[in-house]
Amino acid sequence: MHNGEKKRLNGEAEEEEEDDLDEDGMDAWERTYTDERSWESLQEDESGLLRPIDNKAIYHAQYRRRLRSLSTAGNAARIQKGLIRFLYVVVDLSRAAGVMDFRPSRMAMIAKHVEAFIREFFDQNPLSQMALVTIKDGVAHCLTELGGSPEAHIKTLMGKLGCSGDSSLQNALELVHGYLDPIPSYGHREVLILYSSLSTCDPGDIMETIQKCKQSKLRCSVIGLAAELFICKHLCQETGGSYSVALDEGHFKELILEHAPPPPAIAEFAIANLIKMGFPQRAAEGSISICSCHKEAKVGEGYICPRCKARACELPTECRICGLTLVSSPHLARSYHHLFPIAPFDDLPPSRQSEPHNRSHRTCFGCQQSLLITGNKPGLCVACPKCKHTFCLDCDIYIHESLHNCPGCESLRPS
Amino acid sequence: MASVPSKLYSDDVSLVVVLVDTNPFFWATSSLSFSQFLSHVLAFLNSILLLNQLNQVVVIATGHNSCDYVYDSSSASHHGVENRTIPALYSVLLQKMEEFLIKDEKLGKQESPGMIASSLLSGSLSLALCYIQRLFRTGPLHPQPRILCLQGSSDGPEQYVAIMNSIFSAQRSMVPIDSCYVGAHNSAFLQQASYITGGVYVKPQHLDGLFQYLVTVFATDLHCRSSLQLPRPAGVDFRASCFCHKTTIDMGYVCSVCLSIFCKHHKKCSTCGSVFGQAQADNSAVSDRKRKAPET
């Protein structure tokens, strides 16, 4: 709710700014000043001097708002995440993707961030699979099939960049629907569309296709690059996805990476099930066998499927011979932090910190950095609600974004 | 440290965060006494500092009930305390270590004596990673960080998730976790940590020569490592054990909601309470039919 409001406000501000640009007909060099708004990062202090605004505090406040909105949404019900995802990323490579409002072009910018997204996606969802689809000349093509290897997807995408023709939302949805419909019911079916066009050139009634996607429980999300489109918004609303329009490159990056962590599971979307998985052992060193993925004879360094004894080169994968999902225990462990998230830390008012009772409150418990800013005034800091240890803002972000452990709670033996 | 011109940070300058296991339950049973162990470690720390004047050492104590920073070579506090007989590093470190051990012992007395002999490795790993992140924040030029775990206690299964989280975070920031395990059996946690992060795992055969193991394997910087013949990782067993009987399995069932591992088909997940299979047939009939439709 809050986020939505903020986004809308941002959107309005941006529109106004763009209008100004058009009216004034500014040159590129003038525009860099308008875009950067360098004067906004200055603030007048009491003696009339100009000082830089404490960007860190603002950035941190935004981060915490996001964290809190996520945690309240999660706490409402028991935490369930769609950990096993089948995601189709649809990249619009129609004529509109060649527009140069993003540098050097929309297409190049998309490719760059999709690459980062693919890596992040597999880092966060080791048991999930992804496929790439492109729209070009009004036709949707399946670039890569569902698979778990980030490198294969990135390589194929980079080789197939080039834009032409119209874009067709319906064709893309029909294609993806055809692929995702037979996916087992425990998997979360998702579509992420990166849409550059302002129109869609469809062969039939797109509303029917949207209903079909809704029935098959495809969660469709769209990130627009131009302007908001009704049909995209309608699609996302119907299927439970999210719709957003990127304001600039930084915003686009933020938006696409929001799709990397697993979405909250919706009970009716995926049915709990026991999935049969194999935990293969490493092949003995020096043993020679033909691997089932590359069909080449290889020495050592491989995994043997426990059911059919075929050799696979890397994990996680699906055995090419018997179809068993092959994983190793660290792959499962990589997902556990989604299920046991740590509570957001509480802001510590400076008045409470200055109480002299605890010396340790003057340094961050995590990195030992002093929490006092110049003049021995206590700076901003946060505290874990459980162990009450204080942390600096940088550690707060690192702990919640990457580490997923509270160092304070971990260094106390639970009684 | 601030006075050092940053251009001097070449790729052979290291920051070593050493996690020292101080668990009294382990050291009471070990053939090597804790004081002997410390003298090996102190000599090793000194040799790291001698190898390059910009090298930095941080020591974190991994206790039974708590974890804390014990020594940081970059903080200037140790210059004042120097006396004639013992070098500064030793006096500061030993004094802080003693304070830590007393505090750790006090914390332990509050609870009933359980049979948990593990130490809080997850806590000290998390602290070390936070410290290293602070180093990364200082800018593009900084010493190459690595973590060295000197561990003796056995693994605490309750720390599994936290330790794995730390390992993955270290892997993401490309910080290798080296481990030297002085206990009786191999530590599965540390083997995995070193394997995943590209560090070295060593279990010394003769504890009397611990200093030599430490110096030959762990003293060299990351840049030189590529040209050395270091102990190769032995086969790490990545097979999972099931949650119901704790037996290692080749093939098993995984709950699609919470990823718990079971060795045979259950009707209900014991971890998250989700109901599987036939029991849910009534609820899932609609979607099942839908799923089967395209196949038939």
Side-chain angles (χ1 to χ4, degrees):
Chain A
M1 175 94 181
H2 197 98
N3 269 348
E5 240 172 68
K6 209 183 88 197
K7 236 169 246 166
R8 212 193 59 228
L9 282 173
N10 277 347
E12 278 172 10
E14 177 69 12
E15 272 165 32
E16 278 170 27
E17 196 184 302
E18 266 176 15
D19 288 346
D20 288 351
L21 286 177
D22 291 339
E23 280 167 22
D24 297 354
M26 279 194 227
D27 288 324
W29 66 270
E30 286 175 297
R31 212 172 295 158
T32 56
Y33 285 100
T34 332
D35 287 349
E36 278 174 18
R37 296 175 159 265
S38 47
W39 59 88
E40 281 186 354
S41 59
L42 291 175
Q43 201 176 31
E44 205 173 328
D45 68 1
E46 33 315 352
S47 52
L49 292 167
L50 288 178
R51 288 181 181 285
I53 295 183
D54 194 356
N55 272 324
K56 209 170 117 188
I58 296 171
Y59 173 70
H60 187 258
Q62 279 175 353
Y63 150 77
R64 290 181 60 77
R65 211 175 302 134
R66 202 170 67 230
L67 189 74
R68 211 164 290 144
S69 71
L70 281 178
S71 71
T72 45
N75 285 345
R78 198 178 60 216
I79 296 167
Q80 279 202 353
K81 298 270 184 159
L83 293 174
I84 301 171
R85 306 165 67 185
F86 294 88
L87 174 72
Y88 268 83
V89 179
V90 179
V91 185
D92 173 11
L93 289 180
S94 63
R95 211 178 300 116
V99 177
M100 284 156 67
D101 52 353
F102 290 86
R103 300 273 177 255
S105 70
R106 287 180 185 176
M107 184 173 62
M109 195 270 305
I110 291 176
K112 186 173 123 195
H113 291 296
V114 166
E115 181 184 345
F117 170 72
I118 292 176
R119 288 186 204 286
E120 185 68 22
F121 178 83
F122 285 113
D123 191 53
Q124 297 216 25
N125 310 277
L127 302 175
S128 303
Q129 299 195 30
M130 182 198 269
L132 294 173
V133 169
T134 56
I135 317 174
K136 203 188 252 187
D137 297 321
V139 187
H141 284 288
C142 190
L143 210 58
T144 52
E145 293 191 9
L146 278 176
S149 159
E151 297 311 320
H153 291 307
I154 292 168
K155 214 175 134 195
T156 325
L157 177 70
M158 293 306 166
K160 286 283 164 69
L161 282 183
C163 55
S164 64
D166 293 314
S167 156
S168 168
L169 205 55
Q170 192 191 9
N171 280 343
L173 287 175
E174 287 283 352
L175 183 80
V176 171
H177 179 264
Y179 281 116
L180 278 180
D181 206 41
I183 292 293
S185 61
Y186 57 78
H188 288 254
R189 306 148 182 206
E190 291 174 61
V191 188
L192 173 62
I193 303 170
L194 308 172
Y195 208 66
S196 303
S197 287
L198 279 174
S199 59
T200 164
C201 188
D202 296 330
D205 184 2
I206 190 166
M207 294 302 175
E208 273 175 28
T209 312
I210 292 177
Q211 286 310 313
K212 226 163 82 181
C213 291
K214 190 184 174 184
Q215 275 164 16
S216 301
K217 304 195 164 55
L218 262 62
R219 185 176 182 269
C220 304
S221 303
V222 182
I223 300 178
L225 281 103
E228 189 170 303
L229 292 178
F230 169 75
I231 191 68
C232 295
K233 195 171 186 177
H234 179 71
L235 169 70
C236 297
Q237 270 173 355
E238 284 291 301
T239 59
S242 68
Y243 180 46
S244 41
V245 176
L247 303 171
D248 52 31
E249 189 172 340
H251 190 216
F252 178 77
K253 187 179 167 195
E254 215 171 90
L255 290 176
I256 192 167
L257 288 180
E258 261 172 33
H259 290 273
I266 304 163
E268 67 217 72
F269 267 45
I271 294 123
N273 211 335
L274 278 178
I275 310 154
K276 194 157 196 182
M277 285 192 188
F279 302 94
Q281 260 182 309
R282 281 241 297 241
E285 249 168 68
S287 67
I288 302 172
S289 56
I290 296 175
C291 80
S292 57
C293 29
H294 302 90
K295 299 176 183 65
E296 284 167 25
K298 288 196 175 165
V299 185
E301 287 292 301
Y303 301 90
I304 306 292
C305 169
R307 189 152 73 184
C308 65
K309 312 289 179 218
R311 185 184 183 286
C313 281
E314 54 181 14
L315 296 183
T317 185
E318 206 164 80
C319 176
R320 294 285 177 108
I321 310 296
C322 66
L324 186 68
T325 312
L326 303 178
V327 293
S328 70
S329 52
H331 291 124
L332 295 178
R334 212 180 260 274
S335 301
Y336 284 147
H337 73 82
H338 294 302
L339 302 166
F340 311 106
I342 44 172
F345 290 170
D346 299 327
D347 279 314
L348 220 59
S351 58
R352 274 221 349 252
Q353 289 168 51
S354 48
E355 284 169 23
H357 71 276
N358 209 336
R359 186 188 57 86
S360 68
H361 275 204
R362 289 195 202 144
T363 53
C364 164
F365 184 78
C367 66
Q368 297 290 295
Q369 192 148 37
S370 169
L371 292 173
L372 300 173
I373 45 176
T374 43
N376 267 13
K377 268 195 304 185
L380 279 175
C381 66
V382 290
C384 170
K386 263 195 212 150
C387 64
K388 309 287 179 214
H389 282 297
T390 44
F391 294 94
C392 65
L393 305 189
D394 292 310
C395 277
D396 179 22
I397 295 179
Y398 173 66
I399 288 166
H400 284 93
E401 304 261 282
S402 173
L403 186 60
H404 307 295
N405 275 341
C406 168
C409 302
E410 288 306 322
S411 6
L412 284 176
R413 189 159 286 282
S415 46
Chain B
M1 238 198 78
S3 62
V4 172
S6 49
K7 64 176 176 187
L8 289 177
Y9 281 124
S10 49
D11 53 7
D12 59 349
V13 181
S14 1
L15 160 73
V16 188
V17 185
V18 184
L19 315 181
V20 180
D21 190 359
T22 65
N23 187 354
F25 294 100
F26 164 72
W27 289 110
T29 59
S30 167
S31 59
L32 185 79
S33 76
F34 186 61
S35 59
Q36 281 171 320
F37 167 76
L38 263 189
S39 63
H40 286 289
V41 173
L42 287 176
F44 167 68
L45 296 180
N46 249 344
S47 41
I48 289 182
L49 292 175
L50 282 171
L51 275 173
N52 190 321
Q53 59 158 342
L54 296 179
N55 274 1
Q56 199 188 329
V57 168
V58 174
V59 181
I60 299 175
T62 315
H64 179 246
N65 301 300
S66 60
C67 299
D68 206 357
Y69 287 89
V70 176
Y71 179 72
D72 184 347
S73 68
S74 72
S75 66
S77 65
H78 61 279
H79 289 305
V81 224
E82 203 164 353
N83 70 18
R84 297 254 166 103
T85 47
I86 331 173
L89 187 154
Y90 293 175
S91 63
V92 175
L93 198 152
L94 290 176
Q95 190 195 337
K96 288 285 286 286
M97 184 67 91
E98 202 171 327
E99 283 169 20
F100 171 79
L101 288 174
I102 294 168
K103 209 184 83 195
D104 195 38
E105 195 189 342
K106 271 186 194 150
L107 282 169
K109 274 179 186 162
Q110 292 162 3
E111 40 180 292
S112 57
M115 283 311 289
I116 339 155
S118 63
S119 50
L120 292 167
L121 182 62
S122 58
S124 56
L125 268 179
S126 308
L127 285 178
L129 287 165
C130 282
Y131 190 93
I132 289 172
Q133 287 301 313
R134 173 181 157 195
L135 184 82
F136 286 146
R137 288 197 294 269
T138 57
L141 289 164
H142 52 72
Q144 297 292 315
R146 62 178 191 267
I147 298 175
L148 171 61
C149 301
L150 299 173
Q151 192 75 6
S153 321
S154 50
D155 297 337
E158 73 283 354
Q159 296 173 38
Y160 178 71
V161 173
I163 287 184
M164 289 317 268
N165 285 343
S166 314
I167 295 175
F168 295 130
S169 187
Q171 185 196 23
R172 224 168 292 148
S173 16
M174 310 235 269
V175 178
I177 302 179
D178 297 327
S179 31
C180 178
Y181 189 72
V182 294
H185 306 284
N186 276 318
S187 156
F189 285 174
L190 288 178
Q191 276 180 323
Q192 296 203 17
S194 298
Y195 182 81
I196 293 173
T197 58
V200 186
Y201 174 89
V202 169
K203 185 178 181 303
Q205 299 299 316
H206 306 284
L207 288 180
D208 299 334
L210 182 66
F211 173 71
Q212 257 183 21
Y213 283 102
L214 291 175
V215 168
T216 44
V217 180
F218 300 113
T220 44
D221 56 86
L222 297 178
H223 184 66
C224 291
R225 262 191 200 183
S226 48
S227 27
L228 288 179
Q229 280 277 328
L230 291 172
R232 299 206 310 138
V236 183
D237 195 357
F238 279 133
R239 279 182 303 165
S241 51
C242 67
F243 286 25
C244 37
H245 305 94
K246 303 274 174 218
T247 47
T248 311
I249 48 171
D250 270 342
M251 243 190 294
Y253 294 91
V254 174
C255 168
S256 68
V257 178
C258 67
L259 303 182
S260 308
I261 307 162
F262 302 103
C263 55
K264 54 177 192 253
H265 201 284
H266 289 251
K267 284 206 169 122
K268 194 176 170 214
C269 174
S270 56
T271 315
C272 68
S274 311
V275 184
F276 314 120
Q278 284 104 15
Q280 220 190 6
D282 298 336
N283 307 338
S284 60
V286 187
S287 65
D288 265 358
R289 209 180 305 133
K290 216 171 285 152
R291 177 158 59 96
K292 274 168 196 152
E295 289 166 9
T296 46

